[in-house]
Coordinates of all heavy atoms in Angstrom, one line a residue:
Chain A
F47 N 23.2 27.4 -21.5 CA 24.3 27.1 -20.6 C 24.6 25.6 -20.6 O 23.7 24.8 -20.9 CB 24.0 27.5 -19.1 CG 23.7 28.9 -18.9 CD1 22.4 29.3 -18.7 CD2 24.7 29.8 -18.8 CE1 22.1 30.6 -18.4 CE2 24.4 31.2 -18.5 CZ 23.1 31.6 -18.4
N57 N 28.5 29.2 -22.1 CA 27.7 30.3 -21.7 C 27.4 31.1 -22.9 O 28.3 31.9 -23.3 CB 28.4 31.1 -20.6 CG 27.6 32.3 -20.0 OD1 26.5 32.5 -20.6 ND2 28.0 32.9 -19.0
E58 N 26.3 30.9 -23.5 CA 25.9 31.6 -24.7 C 25.7 33.1 -24.3 O 25.7 33.5 -23.1 CB 24.7 31.1 -25.4 CG 25.0 29.7 -26.0 CD 26.0 29.9 -27.2 OE1 25.4 30.1 -28.3 OE2 27.1 29.6 -27.1
T59 N 25.4 33.9 -25.3 CA 25.2 35.4 -25.0 C 23.8 35.5 -24.4 O 22.8 36.0 -25.0 CB 25.3 36.2 -26.3 OG1 24.4 35.6 -27.3 CG2 26.7 36.3 -26.8
V60 N 23.8 35.2 -23.1 CA 22.5 35.2 -22.4 C 22.6 36.4 -21.4 O 23.6 36.6 -20.8 CB 22.3 33.9 -21.6 CG1 21.0 34.0 -20.7 CG2 22.3 32.7 -22.5
P61 N 21.6 37.2 -21.2 CA 21.6 38.3 -20.3 C 22.1 37.8 -18.9 O 21.7 36.7 -18.5 CB 20.2 38.8 -20.3 CG 19.6 38.4 -21.5 CD 20.2 37.1 -21.9
N62 N 22.8 38.7 -18.2 CA 23.3 38.2 -16.9 C 22.2 38.2 -15.8 O 22.5 37.9 -14.7 CB 24.5 39.0 -16.4 CG 24.2 40.5 -16.4 OD1 23.0 40.9 -16.4 ND2 25.2 41.3 -16.3
R63 N 21.0 38.5 -16.2 CA 19.8 38.2 -15.3 C 19.6 36.7 -15.1 O 18.9 36.3 -14.2 CB 18.6 38.8 -15.9 CG 18.6 40.4 -16.1 CD 17.3 40.9 -16.6 NE 17.0 40.4 -17.9 CZ 16.1 39.5 -18.2 NH1 15.4 38.9 -17.3 NH2 15.9 39.1 -19.5
F64 N 20.1 35.9 -16.1 CA 20.0 34.5 -16.0 C 21.3 34.0 -15.3 O 22.4 34.1 -15.8 CB 19.9 33.9 -17.4 CG 18.6 34.1 -18.1 CD1 18.4 35.4 -18.7 CD2 17.6 33.2 -18.1 CE1 17.2 35.7 -19.3 CE2 16.4 33.4 -18.7 CZ 16.2 34.7 -19.3
S65 N 21.1 33.2 -14.2 CA 22.3 32.7 -13.5 C 22.0 31.2 -13.2 O 21.2 30.9 -12.4 CB 22.6 33.5 -12.2 OG 21.4 33.6 -11.4
P66 N 22.8 30.4 -13.8 CA 22.7 28.9 -13.5 C 23.5 28.7 -12.3 O 24.5 29.3 -12.0 CB 23.3 28.3 -14.8 CG 24.3 29.3 -15.3 CD 23.8 30.6 -14.9
K67 N 23.0 27.6 -11.6 CA 23.8 27.1 -10.4 C 23.8 25.6 -10.4 O 22.7 25.0 -10.5 CB 23.2 27.7 -9.1 CG 23.5 29.2 -8.9 CD 23.0 29.7 -7.6 CE 23.5 31.1 -7.3 NZ 23.2 32.0 -8.4
L76 N 18.2 27.1 -12.7 CA 18.3 28.3 -13.4 C 17.5 29.4 -12.7 O 16.3 29.3 -12.4 CB 17.7 28.1 -14.8 CG 17.7 29.3 -15.8 CD1 19.2 29.6 -16.1 CD2 17.0 29.0 -17.1
H77 N 18.2 30.4 -12.3 CA 17.6 31.5 -11.6 C 17.5 32.7 -12.6 O 18.5 33.0 -13.3 CB 18.4 31.9 -10.4 CG 17.7 32.9 -9.5 ND1 16.6 32.6 -8.7 CD2 17.9 34.2 -9.4 CE1 16.2 33.6 -8.1 NE2 16.9 34.7 -8.4
I78 N 16.4 33.4 -12.6 CA 16.2 34.5 -13.5 C 15.7 35.7 -12.7 O 14.7 35.6 -12.0 CB 15.1 34.2 -14.5 CG1 15.3 32.8 -15.1 CG2 15.2 35.3 -15.6 CD1 14.2 32.4 -16.1
N79 N 16.5 36.8 -12.7 CA 16.2 38.0 -12.0 C 15.4 39.0 -12.9 O 15.6 38.9 -14.2 CB 17.4 38.7 -11.6 CG 18.1 38.0 -10.4 OD1 17.4 37.3 -9.6 ND2 19.4 38.0 -10.4
S80 N 14.6 39.8 -12.3 CA 14.0 40.9 -13.0 C 13.3 40.4 -14.4 O 13.7 40.9 -15.5 CB 15.0 42.0 -13.3 OG 15.6 42.5 -12.1
E82 N 11.5 39.7 -17.7 CA 10.9 40.5 -18.8 C 10.0 39.7 -19.6 O 10.0 38.5 -19.7 CB 12.1 41.1 -19.6 CG 13.1 41.9 -18.8 CD 14.2 42.4 -19.7 OE1 14.3 42.0 -20.9 OE2 15.1 43.1 -19.1

Side-chain angles (χ1 to χ4, degrees):
Chain A
F47 301 103
N57 185 352
E58 288 293 276
T59 50
V60 177
N62 56 16
R63 297 182 295 104
F64 290 78
S65 53
K67 285 188 171 50
L76 183 65
H77 188 75
I78 316 171
N79 288 328
S80 303
E82 300 178 357

